[in-house]
Amino acid sequence: MKLVWLRRDLRVEDNTALVQACASGEPVVALYIATPKTWQNHALAPIQADLIYRRLFELQKDLAAKNINLYYAQVDSFLDSVQLVTSIAKQQGVSGVWFNKEYEVDEQLRDAKLIGMLEQAGIDGIGCDDKCLLKPGSVVNKQGDYFKVFTPFKRAYLEKMYRQAVVVTKVTPVRTQGTVQSSQIDEFSSQCPFDYPRQTSKRYPVNMDAIIKRLRDFERLSVSNYHLQRDFPAIEGTSELSPYLAIGALSIRQCMARLMFEQQLPLSGGREIWQSELVWREFYQHLTYFEPKLSKGKSFTPWGDNLVWKKSDSAFSAWKNGTTGYPIVDAAMRQLNQTGWMHNRLRMIVASFLIKDLHLDWRLGEQYFMSQLVDGDYPANNGGWQWCASTGCDGQPYFRIFNPVTQGEKFDPQGEFVRTWIPELQDVPDKFIHQPWKWINAKALSYPSPIVDHKTEREITLSLYKEAKER
C-alpha cells in the first residue's frame, strides 16, 4: 500500500505525488494532518484555515471518486506530524510514502526528517517537485547559479517551458481501495478536531468544478483585458485565483495550460502580463529554495539589515486599522481586514507606506499580511514585502517611493474604491477624495487627518537608506 501525505496540494488532478503513487498499481490512501501550533508560529490566517477546512470535505469526495480514502489527524507541530506518518507507515506495512515538496526552511527540515525516519524503518520516502512548473535548480544562468533578477529568469524560464509541453496529469483510479486501521487517525469528517481559529471563507467556492470554472471564466472573459484593468481596485480585473494556488486546490500547470490553450506563442497583451505574474510566483519559490535566510526573517541584500526602523505601536495600529488619514491606504487595509484579500496594486501601496512613510520594519507588515490573507503564501508574501522594502532580490530601487495621494488619484480617480470601504468619505467631492483634509468641510468629517506628511517622510527615508547602504 502507498500513503500520500497531502499538505498544500489539496487537489486530485495534476497532483504529482498522488499520480505517481497511483501509477504503482498498489492500493493508495491519502492523509492530511493539521498542525495548529506550527500554523500559529507561521501566522496562518483564520480565513485561510477555513478555506483549507472546507476544501478537505470536497477533496474527500474527489478522492473517493478515485477509490481513495482520505484520513485525517491533528497534532501540534511539524515534528509531531513526521513521527505520526512514520508510525502509521510502520504499523500498516506501507511500502512507500509520497509527498509534494515545499521550499521554506521548516518544511524542508520536516521532509528531510521524514525521509530519514522512513529509511530507518525500511520504507521509501518519495518527495516530488510539484509546487512549481519548473523545479528549483532547473532554471539557472550560464554559470549554473540561480537568477537574482526577474527579467532574465523569466526569459530563461519561458524558453525552457516552451521547449517542453505543459502537461496536466490525471489520476488513474486504483482497483483496490486501501484502508488503514489505526487509533491515531480517522477518516475525515466534521467530528474530527480542527483546533485553529477560523473566519468564514464562503466567498470562495471549494467544489472543484466551481474552481475550474473560475479559471476558465477568467481566461475566456477577462484575461485579454488584464493588462488594462489589473491596477484599478474598483474593477474586478484580476483573477482572484491566488487563494486556490496558495492551498494547492489549483496547480501552476493548470493555470499556465489554460492561459496558453490554443494561443500563438509568445503571448501578448493581458495574457503575457498574467503569465508574468505566474512566473513571478515561480521566481519567489525558487528564491526561497536557494536562500534559506529568507525563511528566517533576513533581508536578501546584506545592507538591508543595516536599516534603522522606528518603533511606534500607535503608527502600526493606525496602519493595521485603516486610520492613517490617507484614504487609499486605509481603504485597502479595511478591505484586507474585512475580506482577507487585497488588490495587488494596493498591497504595494500599503507596504510602501508602512516602510517608507512610517519607517516601520517590513517584517511587521509581512507577518500581519500572513495573519490576514486568504491567499497567504510565504515565498510570494516575503518576496512582495522585500521588493517594496528595496531589500529583496530585484527589489524596487529605494528612491522610488509611492506617494499615497497620487497613487490613489491614478488608480481610483473617482474614489469609487475608497468610498466603498470608507463610508465616512461618501460626500467628499472627487477632487478631494484622496486628500480630504484639503476640502472646505474637512473638519466635519469623522475621518482622521494624515498621521504623517509624505513629503517630509520621503526625505527621511532617502537618508535612512543611503546611510544603510554606506554603512
Side-chain angles (χ1 to χ4, degrees):
M1 182 168 62
K2 303 294 186 185
L3 172 65
V4 178
W5 183 7
L6 299 167
R7 287 90 73 101
R8 284 184 172 265
D9 49 356
L10 303 183
R11 64 187 183 278
V12 172
E13 304 300 352
D14 200 46
N15 183 318
T16 305
L18 190 62
V19 168
Q20 293 189 10
C22 289
S24 70
E26 294 185 42
V28 174
V29 295
L31 173 64
Y32 184 86
I33 304 175
T35 54
K37 282 195 176 178
T38 294
W39 288 351
Q40 187 176 27
N41 291 338
H42 291 178
L44 177 71
I47 191 170
Q48 190 176 97
D50 187 65
L51 187 68
I52 291 169
Y53 181 72
R54 292 172 53 233
R55 175 61 195 144
L56 286 173
F57 288 98
E58 293 298 325
L59 179 61
Q60 184 178 41
K61 297 175 189 175
D62 297 341
L63 287 165
K66 302 292 186 182
N67 212 25
I68 301 170
N69 287 331
L70 174 63
Y71 292 92
Y72 173 90
Q74 177 177 284
V75 297
D76 284 342
S77 67
F78 276 177
L79 179 59
D80 296 329
S81 66
V82 168
Q83 293 171 339
L84 177 60
V85 171
T86 305
S87 174
I88 292 169
K90 288 163 67 176
Q91 289 175 9
Q92 304 299 317
V94 168
S95 60
V97 175
W98 296 74
F99 60 90
N100 290 315
K101 299 175 186 176
E102 295 175 286
Y103 304 122
E104 299 89 330
V105 162
D106 288 349
E107 285 77 355
Q108 288 200 56
L109 290 173
R110 173 199 61 198
D111 293 346
K113 182 74 173 176
L114 173 69
I115 288 175
M117 292 182 69
L118 289 173
E119 282 181 355
Q120 289 180 359
I123 300 169
D124 292 332
I126 302 95
C128 302
D129 287 288
D130 175 83
K131 198 171 185 182
C132 295
L133 194 156
L134 299 176
K135 69 180 182 179
S138 66
V139 183
V140 292
N141 60 25
K142 291 179 180 178
Q143 291 72 44
D145 197 7
Y146 72 92
F147 284 98
K148 299 174 181 64
V149 178
F150 173 71
T151 300
F153 172 84
K154 176 187 171 183
R155 191 181 303 117
Y157 179 99
L158 292 179
E159 184 181 337
K160 181 161 187 166
M161 185 182 73
Y162 289 151
R163 285 202 309 265
Q164 61 187 53
V166 179
V167 179
V168 176
T169 51
K170 303 289 185 181
V171 169
T172 303
V174 291
R175 292 183 179 179
T176 307
Q177 187 173 35
T179 57
V180 174
Q181 302 295 325
S182 174
S183 61
Q184 297 170 287
I185 57 174
D186 296 293
E187 288 199 48
F188 184 67
S189 75
S190 58
Q191 306 304 313
C192 291
F194 194 93
D195 300 326
Y196 194 84
R198 287 190 287 126
Q199 173 188 336
T200 181
S201 59
K202 64 180 180 181
R203 178 184 173 197
Y204 299 93
V206 289
N207 174 275
M208 204 62 222
D209 288 342
I211 295 171
I212 293 297
K213 184 177 185 299
R214 280 198 167 196
L215 170 61
R216 290 178 175 175
D217 285 350
F218 173 71
E219 182 273 328
R220 182 171 57 89
L221 303 173
S222 303
V223 77
S224 59
N225 290 321
Y226 179 73
H227 61 309
L228 303 174
Q229 299 181 339
R230 70 184 185 122
D231 282 320
F232 298 90
I235 299 174
E236 292 185 3
T238 63
S239 72
E240 288 197 52
L241 295 169
S242 51
Y244 301 119
L245 283 165
I247 68 169
L250 273 180
S251 74
I252 182 72
R253 289 173 298 277
Q254 288 171 305
C255 293
M256 198 70 81
R258 174 52 49 180
L259 178 66
M260 299 193 307
F261 182 65
E262 294 184 344
Q263 298 298 312
Q264 185 174 352
L265 301 177
L267 303 178
S268 60
R271 288 181 187 273
E272 190 275 329
I273 298 300
W274 196 57
Q275 184 184 63
S276 280
E277 293 301 305
L278 294 175
V279 179
W280 267 108
R281 177 186 179 276
E282 299 276 278
F283 182 55
Y284 288 139
Q285 296 286 338
H286 286 221
L287 283 179
T288 300
Y289 173 80
F290 283 110
E291 289 290 352
K293 67 181 180 182
L294 299 179
S295 298
K296 300 177 181 179
K298 297 293 185 182
S299 296
F300 178 83
T301 57
W303 62 263
D305 293 326
N306 296 336
L307 284 163
V308 177
W309 303 107
K310 186 177 178 180
K311 294 182 180 178
S312 173
D313 291 341
S314 60
F316 187 47
S317 179
W319 179 82
K320 286 194 299 184
N321 296 325
T323 55
T324 69
Y326 285 94
I328 196 67
V329 173
D330 294 341
M333 294 307 294
R334 295 184 193 190
Q335 180 190 42
L336 172 65
N337 293 335
Q338 293 178 43
T339 70
W341 189 81
M342 187 189 291
H343 190 279
N344 189 59
R345 166 60 57 173
L346 301 181
R347 297 188 197 204
M348 294 188 286
I349 294 171
V350 302
S352 178
F353 188 83
L354 179 84
I355 298 162
K356 295 177 179 177
D357 283 79
L358 301 181
H359 315 298
L360 298 178
D361 194 331
W362 59 266
R363 298 166 188 84
L364 294 173
E366 176 197 33
Q367 184 174 46
Y368 187 71
F369 264 33
M370 285 301 293
S371 74
Q372 300 296 313
L373 285 170
V374 67
D375 63 353
D377 178 73
Y378 187 86
N381 188 52
N382 177 269
W385 274 94
Q386 292 222 47
W387 185 89
C388 290
S390 306
T391 61
C393 186
D394 200 16
Q396 176 178 245
Y398 76 87
F399 48 82
R400 290 185 185 168
I401 301 172
F402 285 156
N403 182 320
V405 173
T406 56
Q407 286 285 306
E409 290 172 344
K410 183 175 181 179
F411 297 112
D412 189 31
Q414 278 77 51
E416 186 180 348
F417 178 80
V418 163
R419 291 188 182 91
T420 298
W421 297 102
I422 310 179
E424 308 97 286
L425 301 181
Q426 203 68 39
D427 298 326
V428 176
D430 292 356
K431 182 179 178 181
F432 300 105
I433 192 65
H434 293 291
Q435 39 189 345
W437 57 90
K438 290 188 175 181
W439 187 39
I440 193 170
N441 296 326
K443 290 183 179 178
L445 295 173
S446 57
Y447 181 71
S449 299
I451 61 174
V452 293
D453 175 68
H454 172 70
K455 185 177 180 181
T456 301
E457 304 306 328
R458 182 181 185 279
E459 293 306 313
I460 293 172
T461 292
L462 293 176
S463 176
L464 289 171
Y465 271 79
K466 188 171 183 291
E467 254 179 62
K469 292 195 78 170
E470 291 175 350
R471 196 177 305 167

